[in-house]
Amino acid sequence: MPDLHTRTDTGAARDEQRYDPHRIEEKWSARWQQQPELFRAEPFDSPRPKYYVLEMLPYPSGALHMGHVRNYSIGDALARHMWMKGYNVLHPMGWDAFGLPAENAAIKAKTPPKQWTLSNIAHMKAQMKRLGFAYDWSKEVTTCLPDYYRWNQWFFLKMYERGLAYRKKSRVNWCPECATVLANEQVVNGCCWRHTETPVQQRDLEQWFLRITDYAQELLDDLDRLSGWPEKVRTMQRNWIGRSEGALIDFKIDGAAWQGSDTISVFTTRIDTIFGATSIQLAPEHPTLANLIGNNPELHARVDELMAEQRRAKEAGDVGEIEKHGMFTGRYAINPFNGEKLPIWVANYVLMDYGTGAIMSVPAHDERDYEFAKKYGLEIRIVILPRRQGEPPQAGEEDTALLPYTGTDSLLINSGPYSELSCEEAMKRMAQDAERGGFGKAAVTYRLKDWGISRQRYWGAPIPMLYCDHCGIVPVPEKDLPVILPENVDITLSGGSPLGKVKEWVNTTCPTCGGSARRETDTMDTFVDSSWYFYRYTDPTLETAPVAPKTIGYWFEIDQYIGGVEHAILHLIYSRFWTKVMRDLGLIANSEPVARLFTQGMVLKDGAAMSKSRGNVVSPDEIVARYGADTARVYILFAAPPDRDLDWSDSAIEGVHRFLGRVHRFIAQNPVQRIGTAYCVQQLSPEARRVLRKLHQTIKRISDDFAGRWHFNTSVAALMELLNELTAYPEIFACASRKAAPSALVAEIQRTFVLLLAPFAPYLAHELWEMLGETSNLLRESWPEYDTALAKEEELEIVVQINGKIRDRLVVSAHSSEEELRKLALAAPKVQATLDGRQLLRAIVVPGKLVNIVVR
RNA sequence: GCCCGGGUGGCGAAACUGGCAGACGCACGGGACUUAAAAUCCCGGGCCCCGAAAGGGGCGUGCGGGUUCGAUUCCCGCCCCGGGCACCA
């Protein structure tokens, strides 16, 4: 039984070795606050190669959630790793601080949006610091401050000058809950993206638009070059841009006797089927309709009905499902290819906002037209020879069971001079002939629409435009920027733009004529803010321009961007557009903002996204309070590969905490100072060699994870395995009996372990680094290199199979030749027993793995 | 309907180019230390069958086929879950 004295000693030693994350993390957190330069990027003349790693900036909604923690833990691990790899790393953070959520929350909390937002930022910034993310806070960007949004306004003026920003009356998506307009991108299944239960309505308003469609083709083409982007995201953007090739064809209206257009232009991707057109279908909103039906109240009422059906479907989000209805207008149009008179109809399945809002209806060769023609008894005329898959076209009795036949792998019939041409050939010739004849041409349309950026809301960047009674629309002169968003504004939801009520702000003088003018009272969509913030990070306080050319030229493109896949379309396509505009303004040289994109999986709770309304939000604060930041960070990386969705459960977090505790103890109980004497690998004991081998294998695994798939869950697992191996040989590391290995080896192992741990658990790594007697900045230490020779196993266990079934295992030298392995395997007693009386066909040897003996 | 992911023990997952399925961890069971507990450490483990045990046999990566000496991995056909697009002419 130990005496009291001894027991006290042991207890004290144990206390010292106990892992106390709060003491460690507070200590290092305080140091990092005092030395912010530790995480600061060096200027563009740094001798180190640059690396720009960026995580998507958050909304300052109030507090961080686990999705943020995941995003930033991935980015921070990478940033720290790249620092250690010798790069000059830019790793900034900022705040997407304008926007509806902030404003709505401010209304509820009865605090001005600015105050509410800034206090949220302060809180979330403190959370980030507590979590130990290595951000260069000297680069911080806050989009709701005039220093930043003045450049939004500046960009807007430049775009206006170039005709890229324009104003037009348009039917817009209106969310009654937000009391504002939504971009097409913000409408999800016919509902507001923020109020997923609230159907979006349609209204006509004067809006500002950015001409993103001017860049549609380039946005599409450049996707092919973004090889560092997930294919999924590129496909989503391709679909969103929605390019389709076809032709525009003008149909003359028979007996048109009114002013203006006497033709109906249709867009088709199947001009080769035009001899099969048996009607023209117009969208209920088509502008020519008024002329066609005159003032016949009955027809007007019917059109209104069709329009209403379509709108209701749009609002309900099931545009694809509504029953097709239509109405004959009583008028006809002339098919320019054969002079035939086609009845003009109105149909609820034709959309005004795609193509020209009019189609030629070819029932035999289009699903929708077929359905419609069947319903209304319109003629169905076959002009493409229907064929079954894999069979040649059968001329003669056309098989109507194959209708509608929409394939393009056949021949034309009943098509005048084009009969017997292939579809492909016919499309080419017909488009040419249409152009020659002056009634059409080949054309391309896009699904992508211009970007409506006007918002009837308060908390956003004011659009820098004026309305003068005398001069009309007048841009605010550049020297008058920024147009400051006034404070103390009533932002209740009583409709219209809140800024319109601030008379002293709205009323101003016209810079052109000096007369009275009114300011634009709409503000910009917040996606404008996030479309270029990553450029501003490089020089956030610059007062003379949005960006500094040299600095931008050095840092761009962004080497690695990390964020949620939910931004695959909106944010990332706007950012790409903005980049191209900035390039055309001569501000930057790059055409794309992001070289490599990583889309992390979502953090779910019970299979659903975490959200305040669901009440299933897990706060990182509780985890940090209980286990410390390192545990929280390592756990979220360990729980699943970063690209996969993660259903949050903290059941396994104890294990990670235990692991960090064991790491702490492993070093704390016997930190070995680095000393001069080297060791000779050949003279090491087999145990010591084994430990060294595992060390090098671990370096390789973790380095490979960083260079490849970022499966940091396996990196953490590798560290756990290494620790298990190290603690399996206490005689190597114990103070008293360290004859099993030289101190230099122990010192090397301990240091390397800390370096490998540093990207994942920075607090603990720094503490242990200091404990090892090191005073250098851990982040500037070199990432460990592995030695292939040292990592190689000396002995291997190989499997002996008979007909693919495992029958034995052999431990052999790693240098064994194929022939040796074959002999050893055949000689194994178990193999001999099984082989008895059977015919040996062959033996397949896979060096280092197995021998498979094939018998009959 | 079309286009992407994914489906492996009680759970999170691993196996990266066809070669020992289940590394690592959680939870669980047993043990050590302790007056006791906590903490810590050690051992066990896919499922089923035979056996007191040592050991042995069979089945197993959503389902059904195929290729191969050998398939979680490749091919064909399905099922289920998640995401994106969808009268786009």
Side-chain angles (χ1 to χ4, degrees):
Chain A
M1 183 183 257
D3 63 32
L4 258 174
H5 188 73
T6 317
R7 286 186 64 187
T8 314
D9 266 354
T10 317
R14 229 180 244 158
D15 270 358
E16 206 168 284
Q17 287 167 18
R18 234 190 66 211
Y19 174 42
D20 180 356
H22 297 101
R23 184 187 61 76
I24 294 170
E25 294 180 4
E26 271 152 37
K27 168 182 156 187
W28 286 95
S29 197
R31 284 204 201 172
W32 292 340
Q33 308 274 3
Q34 283 157 14
Q35 299 174 277
E37 65 277 6
L38 286 176
F39 303 142
R40 211 162 270 178
E42 293 166 10
F44 59 74
D45 51 5
S46 165
R48 292 164 173 256
K50 70 94 185 181
Y51 195 85
Y52 186 174
V53 53
L54 179 69
E55 295 116 60
M56 290 181 182
L57 89 178
Y59 254 124
S61 57
L64 296 184
H65 53 69
M66 293 315 293
H68 293 125
V69 177
R70 191 179 201 194
N71 193 174
Y72 311 147
S73 295
I74 296 166
D76 201 48
L78 180 68
R80 288 172 185 270
H81 174 73
M82 294 312 283
W83 253 309
M84 295 169 80
K85 292 283 279 182
Y87 287 86
N88 177 25
V89 176
L90 175 60
H91 188 214
M93 183 43 73
W95 310 97
D96 189 15
F98 269 142
L100 303 182
E103 190 172 345
N104 289 338
I107 290 166
K108 251 190 206 161
K110 295 209 170 27
T111 336
K114 184 175 180 181
Q115 189 190 324
W116 188 88
T117 303
L118 293 182
S119 86
N120 283 347
I121 289 175
H123 179 233
M124 291 167 76
K125 192 169 171 180
Q127 286 183 299
M128 287 182 182
K129 288 188 170 178
R130 180 63 189 81
L131 281 157
F133 299 125
Y135 293 125
D136 180 350
W137 287 108
S138 73
K139 303 290 196 291
E140 184 177 2
V141 162
T142 306
T143 61
C144 67
L145 300 180
D147 285 356
Y148 183 80
Y149 70 70
R150 68 171 296 172
W151 299 112
N152 280 3
Q153 296 171 341
W154 184 87
F155 279 122
F156 184 89
L157 293 178
K158 294 291 168 194
M159 291 195 203
Y160 182 71
E161 271 171 33
R162 296 183 162 234
L164 288 173
Y166 66 98
R167 187 170 163 82
K168 77 169 182 201
K169 187 164 204 156
S170 76
R171 177 146 298 177
V172 293
N173 305 301
W174 178 269
C175 172
E177 197 76 23
C178 300
T180 191
V181 166
L182 302 175
N184 288 333
E185 288 84 344
Q186 291 165 339
V187 180
V188 179
N189 293 329
C191 291
C192 173
W193 68 310
R194 300 216 55 88
H195 303 96
T196 52
E197 308 289 308
T198 308
V200 169
Q201 304 171 351
Q202 307 290 309
R203 292 200 181 179
D204 288 316
L205 286 175
E206 289 276 339
Q207 301 285 306
W208 285 101
F209 286 84
L210 300 183
R211 229 178 268 282
I212 190 172
T213 51
D214 273 15
Y215 289 86
Q217 191 60 48
E218 197 192 344
L219 286 167
L220 181 67
D221 290 341
D222 285 354
L223 285 173
D224 293 335
R225 299 198 286 118
L226 294 177
S227 56
W229 285 40
E231 191 49 52
K232 178 190 168 98
V233 172
R234 293 196 280 168
T235 305
M236 283 165 76
Q237 291 210 356
R238 259 181 220 115
N239 291 341
W240 193 261
I241 295 168
R243 179 193 152 98
S244 74
E245 279 178 45
L248 284 168
I249 303 295
D250 295 333
F251 287 70
K252 268 211 160 48
I253 299 164
D254 192 37
W258 53 79
Q259 292 270 307
S261 171
D262 61 348
T263 61
I264 292 169
S265 181
V266 308
F267 176 74
T268 175
T269 54
R270 290 301 302 275
I271 188 175
D272 57 316
T273 64
I274 199 164
F275 283 79
T278 55
S279 69
I280 296 293
Q281 304 286 344
L282 302 183
E285 293 167 52
H286 199 283
T288 307
L289 256 181
N291 287 327
L292 291 176
I293 58 179
N295 45 17
N296 181 329
E298 243 173 77
L299 294 185
H300 273 287
R302 186 74 188 107
V303 169
D304 286 347
E305 216 171 288
L306 292 169
M307 209 183 300
E309 282 175 12
Q310 195 175 69
R311 204 176 291 181
R312 267 199 303 274
K314 217 173 208 174
E315 285 169 8
D318 58 354
V319 185
E321 330 262 288
I322 60 168
E323 206 185 327
K324 290 176 179 48
H325 288 123
M327 174 198 88
F328 178 43
T329 60
R331 309 289 296 249
Y332 293 84
I334 313 292
N335 183 341
F337 275 87
N338 57 10
E340 215 171 315
K341 274 169 74 174
L342 305 179
I344 303 173
W345 285 61
V346 192
N348 65 355
Y349 71 95
V350 179
L351 306 171
M352 194 56 227
D353 57 6
Y354 184 79
T356 60
I359 62 167
M360 62 179 204
S361 176
V362 185
H365 306 295
D366 181 280
E367 308 262 359
R368 296 152 300 178
D369 296 343
Y370 185 77
E371 188 189 333
F372 192 85
K374 279 275 181 194
K375 180 161 187 166
Y376 288 99
L378 298 173
E379 188 192 348
I380 298 169
R381 190 189 303 161
I382 298 177
V383 292
I384 307 288
L385 207 50
R387 61 182 292 188
R388 288 179 207 283
Q389 241 185 348
E391 290 173 23
Q394 296 289 318
E397 291 289 300
E398 268 55 85
D399 187 353
T400 50
L402 294 174
L403 294 184
Y405 180 73
T406 58
T408 54
D409 55 348
S410 193
L411 304 176
L412 273 65
I413 51 174
N414 305 325
S415 295
Y418 306 96
S419 293
E420 301 194 11
L421 290 178
S422 71
C423 293
E424 214 176 308
E425 183 61 25
M427 285 188 218
K428 246 184 260 166
R429 287 208 206 167
M430 286 168 142
Q432 280 167 7
D433 292 350
E435 183 148 20
R436 240 174 254 140
F439 52 82
K441 60 176 183 192
V444 171
T445 61
Y446 298 91
R447 205 189 78 104
L448 184 71
K449 297 283 173 301
D450 277 340
W451 177 13
I453 60 155
S454 295
R455 295 292 179 274
Q456 292 67 48
R457 273 288 187 145
Y458 163 72
W459 192 232
I463 295 172
M465 299 302 278
L466 303 172
Y467 302 98
C468 169
D469 297 333
H470 195 250
C471 315
I473 297 174
V474 181
V476 172
E478 210 176 305
K479 66 174 171 54
D480 293 343
L481 295 185
V483 177
I484 301 272
L485 183 68
E487 292 183 35
N488 303 317
V489 177
D490 178 20
I491 52 167
T492 49
L493 281 171
S494 53
S497 297
L499 286 177
K501 295 173 205 149
V502 190
K503 295 287 175 254
E504 63 280 16
W505 183 83
V506 172
N507 294 320
T508 183
T509 48
C510 171
T512 309
C513 71
S516 66
R518 282 160 293 107
R519 289 188 188 280
E520 167 66 65
T521 57
D522 286 353
T523 54
M524 295 184 200
D525 182 5
T526 66
F527 277 98
V528 171
D529 307 322
S530 55
S531 290
W532 70 282
Y533 73 101
F534 36 82
Y535 288 106
R536 189 67 181 168
Y537 277 145
T538 60
D539 199 346
T541 55
L542 187 67
E543 286 181 9
T544 52
V547 294
K550 264 195 176 169
T551 311
I552 285 287
Y554 174 72
W555 285 113
F556 271 77
E557 303 170 343
I558 294 165
D559 294 278
Q560 183 68 60
Y561 197 17
I562 305 161
V565 72
E566 65 273 19
H567 295 109
I569 297 175
L570 312 184
H571 163 57
L572 288 169
I573 215 162
Y574 293 147
S575 295
R576 296 181 60 225
F577 161 65
W578 210 275
T579 290
K580 291 170 196 305
V581 172
M582 284 175 72
R583 177 202 59 200
D584 291 348
L585 290 170
L587 291 165
I588 56 175
N590 53 299
S591 289
E592 285 289 335
V594 174
R596 284 172 57 88
L597 174 71
F598 185 89
T599 50
Q600 78 190 65
M602 287 203 290
V603 180
L604 310 170
K605 188 76 194 358
D606 306 320
M610 287 190 194
S611 74
K612 277 187 186 164
S613 57
R614 265 195 206 89
N616 61 354
V617 177
V618 176
S619 165
D621 293 351
E622 295 164 35
I623 313 286
V624 171
R626 194 145 173 198
Y627 302 103
D630 280 338
T631 297
R633 294 176 54 162
V634 174
Y635 175 64
I636 206 158
L637 294 177
F638 180 62
D643 50 356
R644 201 184 290 186
D645 285 351
L646 166 61
D647 203 340
W648 178 263
S649 144
D650 49 16
S651 66
I653 201 164
E654 293 275 358
V656 167
H657 190 62
R658 272 200 285 269
F659 163 66
L660 294 179
R662 290 177 63 213
V663 171
H664 181 268
R665 198 165 353 112
F666 169 67
I667 297 201
Q669 72 190 0
N670 178 33
V672 177
Q673 306 281 316
R674 190 152 40 169
I675 49 164
T677 47
Y679 59 88
C680 174
V681 176
Q682 280 74 36
Q683 285 167 14
L684 293 176
S685 67
E687 292 76 20
R689 278 213 302 276
R690 210 176 143 165
V691 164
L692 185 62
R693 187 183 314 130
K694 188 73 179 178
L695 180 75
H696 280 269
Q697 290 171 346
T698 307
I699 299 171
K700 177 166 166 40
R701 279 179 67 182
I702 297 176
S703 302
D704 287 352
D705 277 333
F706 272 110
R709 299 186 302 166
W710 289 11
H711 281 194
F712 299 132
N713 53 330
T714 61
S715 301
V716 175
L719 284 171
M720 288 172 170
E721 279 184 57
L722 175 60
L723 184 69
N724 289 346
E725 185 82 9
L726 297 177
T727 51
Y729 299 98
E731 65 279 10
I732 294 180
F733 297 96
C735 285
S737 61
R738 202 188 310 120
K739 24 191 184 331
S743 298
L745 174 68
V746 176
E748 180 186 315
I749 290 172
Q750 291 185 329
R751 270 160 191 71
T752 307
F753 197 103
V754 171
L755 292 172
L756 294 174
L757 182 70
F760 310 111
Y763 282 119
L764 179 58
H766 277 79
E767 174 73 6
L768 297 176
W769 192 245
E770 191 178 71
M771 200 180 277
L772 289 169
E774 301 291 344
T775 53
S776 63
N777 175 5
L778 183 52
L779 276 188
R780 298 296 185 280
E781 285 292 318
S782 295
W783 182 253
E785 296 285 331
Y786 62 87
D787 182 324
T788 319
L790 289 178
K792 200 167 176 182
E793 295 286 350
E794 296 167 18
E795 288 190 325
L796 298 168
E797 189 185 72
I798 67 154
V799 166
V800 182
Q801 298 180 331
I802 292 172
N803 290 346
K805 293 216 182 273
I806 296 166
R807 285 293 176 262
D808 206 354
R809 290 157 200 277
L810 301 171
V811 176
V812 301
S813 154
H815 308 291
S816 309
S817 70
E818 269 193 43
E819 198 45 46
E820 283 166 344
L821 288 176
R822 178 177 288 115
K823 275 185 191 154
L824 281 170
L826 287 168
K830 284 184 192 169
V831 174
Q832 286 295 318
T834 319
L835 226 52
D836 186 39
R838 300 171 82 176
Q839 185 189 357
L840 176 71
L841 293 180
R842 57 176 160 147
I844 289 149
V845 181
V846 184
K849 302 270 187 191
L850 56 70
V851 178
N852 187 14
I853 296 162
V854 187
V855 298
R856 189 162 54 199

